[in-house]
Amino acid sequence: MNETPVKDPMPMPASHYLAADEIRTLFSEAMSRMYQAEVPQYGQLMQLVDRVNADTLAAQPALNQQLQDNDELTRLGVERHGAIRVGTAAELHMLRRVFAIMGMHPVGYYDLSEAGVPVHSTAFRPTDEADLQRNPFRIFTSLLRLELIEDQALRTRAAEILSQRDIFTPQARELVALAEQQGGLSEEQARQFVAAVLETFRWHRHATVDLATYQALQDAHRLIADVVCFRGPHINHLTPRTLDIDTVQQEMPTHGINPKAVIEGPPRRRCPILLRQTSFTALEESILFAGEQEGTHTARFGEIEQRGMALTPKGRALYDTLLNQSRQAPAQADNAAHQQQLAEIFRAFPDDETSLREQGLGYFRYQLTDAGHRQADTGTPATGDLEALIRAGLVKATPITYEDFLPVSAAGIFQSNLGGASHSAYAQNANQAAFEQALGCPVTDEFGLYARLQDDSARQVLQALGA
Ligand code: OOG
Ligand code: NI
């Protein structure tokens, strides 16, 4: 590997360090370039998404204006997330330190074992509103659960193989230590850091094991082979934002892209909730196994996402109930039929902002209206609670966007990209404590983040109005 030596740390005032948000942006741009070069079909998906986004904006001037007002237009074409899978606690622990330097912190715990995928996961992401606004890039990170491999000999063999690799370059390790010691990285160091860290997520055509070992692991679970048999946790997809996921899903085939069968998540709604996602199915790529044996592996794909309002625990419980109902209903032949069935079941989920707010199903941000500002300036206290102030036209409420992931959707994305038969649920289930132990810290509870945003905004408007 070609490595520039790390410069001796020069004591530097914190203001001379590059902001974590900017390092994250350098990183997401570098990942995007690398992935488009590695997986040309992903570049084609991005072009399709760009075109559909442009058409959508042209057809919906109000949406165009809204994105412009929120300063979102310029970032529309940048990726929102990617995903990786690691094999050991030590790898996950080091990743936590790497991502922290880019302002990405573990939020949420996702148990995928229930869906027959032997991993548990978190999302490394910015947690502050301003940081999300600058660049919301997240990495959905899964840790393999070797303890779910039944065959003990195979389990031992997998652990042995994993113990022999270091997924980080020496320079990446040095720069992480340097950043922690200094409390930041200069621009030049940050660029070196991003280049060094990129190596961890690169694709390797050479497997570290022979074909027979790969096949044994593949037979236990295709995901186990993907994690164990390579030099590192190759980025397995990146995900731009679409303004119209239904159209992109529909148009993929005419662009030579093969979409997964259905869009994951809630149906299309007037008031979008949570997260809708779809992907193109992973490509079969040629691999050189130890002993120069040729074979293939499917791991890498492209995905798109469309986000809606974050739901409260009550709203989420209703979502989970309805989603379960739809999963028990007869499987539909195609996405159109699936969406129609979903839409019918989700009629039980209120679809106007007032009901969603009044019933405590979604999280909202409260702000003063112009009239509210004028009222606040008079210094005369307003009376009534938030809903009364909204009715009086002094306060407006806008939905808070969901920034996290959905375990059932994630499992659907995993399954459709592993190919082969799907695995039934594992007997053991969630083990957040073990995951956090590996990570070296607790994951942040996502509901707490949304609740704080909502409560802070409510407190501020009530204070301003003296109510
Ligand atoms: C991760 C799948 C989950 C999502 O968007 O829900 C995911 C993986 O396949 O490693 O990325
Ligand atoms: Ni994804």
Side-chain angles (χ1 to χ4, degrees):
M1 214 154 288
N2 207 353
E3 285 178 358
T4 347
V6 176
K7 298 244 167 70
D8 277 348
M10 298 269 283
M12 213 188 259
S15 62
H16 286 197
Y17 293 138
L18 201 62
D21 290 343
E22 291 186 42
I23 306 180
R24 182 169 66 260
T25 294
L26 289 178
F27 174 65
S28 66
E29 287 170 356
M31 291 283 268
S32 181
R33 277 194 302 272
M34 180 171 83
Y35 201 58
Q36 286 183 61
E38 287 181 351
V39 183
Q41 193 160 29
Y42 172 65
Q44 286 159 27
L45 175 67
M46 282 193 85
Q47 281 170 21
L48 172 60
V49 169
D50 275 351
R51 217 219 50 234
V52 172
N53 281 352
D55 291 351
T56 309
L57 289 173
Q60 299 181 37
L63 177 65
N64 197 343
Q65 189 62 47
Q66 184 199 323
L67 292 183
Q68 196 161 351
D69 292 348
N70 294 340
D71 205 14
E72 288 180 65
L73 269 190
T74 48
R75 276 192 323 275
L76 187 56
V78 307
E79 282 85 355
R80 302 305 152 125
H81 82 261
I84 54 169
R85 307 152 182 172
V86 294
T88 68
E91 290 173 356
L92 181 68
H93 189 270
M94 183 67 187
L95 279 175
R96 172 174 69 81
R97 295 169 59 195
V98 166
F99 289 135
I101 294 166
M102 304 188 243
M104 298 158 81
H105 309 285
V107 178
Y109 172 76
Y110 304 89
D111 168 33
L112 282 301
S113 67
E114 214 179 320
V117 184
V119 304
H120 42 189
S121 320
T122 191
F124 287 96
R125 69 163 176 90
T127 51
D128 280 5
E129 232 188 342
D131 300 337
L132 280 161
Q133 174 85 3
R134 272 181 223 116
N135 184 336
F137 193 60
R138 324 155 170 81
I139 297 275
F140 189 89
T141 303
S142 300
L143 173 64
L144 181 61
R145 296 178 67 183
L146 281 181
E147 76 271 19
L148 299 183
I149 304 183
E150 268 159 47
D151 178 341
Q152 201 193 315
L154 193 63
R155 191 163 66 221
T156 309
R157 176 96 181 91
E160 233 169 57
I161 297 166
L162 285 169
S163 73
Q164 280 159 22
R165 74 180 189 183
D166 185 353
I167 64 171
F168 302 98
T169 68
Q171 199 191 17
R173 287 188 179 278
E174 270 177 59
L175 284 161
V176 168
L178 179 66
E180 288 172 349
Q181 175 208 327
Q182 293 180 155
L185 293 173
S186 70
E187 176 160 358
E188 196 193 331
Q189 289 163 348
R191 288 184 188 280
Q192 290 177 354
F193 166 78
V194 166
V197 161
L198 202 63
E199 293 307 313
T200 297
F201 306 114
R202 196 180 285 287
W203 177 249
H204 299 285
R205 231 197 110 223
H206 290 80
T208 55
V209 303
D210 58 26
L211 190 53
T213 306
Y214 172 83
Q215 258 151 9
L217 292 166
Q218 179 94 333
D219 289 347
H221 196 294
R222 298 171 72 96
L223 188 118
I224 300 172
D226 181 60
V227 176
V228 174
C229 301
F230 297 89
R231 261 168 51 206
H234 37 254
I235 177 88
N236 68 52
H237 68 279
L238 286 177
T239 310
R241 170 185 183 185
T242 172
L243 298 175
D244 186 349
I245 197 167
D246 302 279
T247 300
V248 179
Q249 170 85 7
Q250 204 181 330
E251 288 195 12
M252 273 196 233
T254 54
H255 289 74
I257 305 173
N258 181 28
K260 74 189 282 300
V262 297
I263 298 173
E264 298 288 344
R268 188 184 188 100
R269 294 160 46 91
R270 235 172 330 140
C271 299
I273 53 170
L274 299 173
L275 172 64
R276 302 181 73 207
Q277 296 157 277
T278 186
S279 59
F280 64 74
T281 49
L283 310 170
E284 185 162 331
E285 302 181 81
S286 84
I287 299 292
L288 214 51
F289 291 91
E292 302 297 295
Q293 290 161 295
E294 299 246 9
T296 62
H297 180 62
T298 44
R300 303 193 299 163
F301 57 97
E303 186 194 38
I304 54 174
E305 63 165 58
Q306 188 167 9
R307 290 180 181 269
M309 166 187 331
L311 299 183
T312 62
K314 182 182 172 195
R316 178 57 182 271
L318 179 56
Y319 171 78
D320 287 339
T321 302
L322 298 178
L323 190 71
N324 260 330
Q325 267 176 37
S326 86
R327 281 150 58 82
Q328 267 141 37
Q332 297 299 312
D334 58 23
N335 183 55
H338 171 73
Q339 292 301 323
Q340 188 172 350
Q341 184 178 70
L342 207 54
E344 260 150 46
I345 292 169
F346 270 78
R347 279 222 286 253
F349 206 117
D351 196 12
D352 65 277
E353 287 187 7
T354 306
S355 306
L356 288 163
R357 209 178 56 238
E358 287 179 347
Q359 295 178 31
L361 297 169
Y363 287 109
F364 287 81
R365 173 184 296 103
Y366 297 96
Q367 288 161 301
L368 294 181
T369 59
D370 290 343
H373 278 293
R374 284 195 297 275
Q375 166 80 28
D377 289 344
T378 65
T380 331
T383 51
D385 63 5
L386 277 172
E387 289 302 322
L389 295 170
I390 290 173
R391 281 194 299 275
L394 300 176
V395 170
K396 66 179 174 192
T398 43
I400 295 175
T401 303
Y402 188 60
E403 306 289 353
D404 294 287
F405 294 85
L406 298 168
V408 172
S409 297
I413 299 279
F414 266 108
Q415 298 287 11
S416 67
N417 287 296
L418 290 169
S422 66
H423 195 288
S424 53
Y426 285 93
Q428 283 184 53
N429 36 41
N431 193 345
Q432 185 166 345
F435 185 84
E436 292 180 334
Q437 169 111 44
L439 189 64
C441 71
V443 298
T444 301
D445 170 50
E446 65 273 30
F447 291 106
L449 290 175
Y450 300 116
R452 204 180 66 204
L453 267 183
Q454 172 174 279
D455 295 350
D456 286 352
S457 73
R459 198 166 329 106
Q460 275 164 24
V461 298
L462 290 174
Q463 223 165 44
L465 291 171

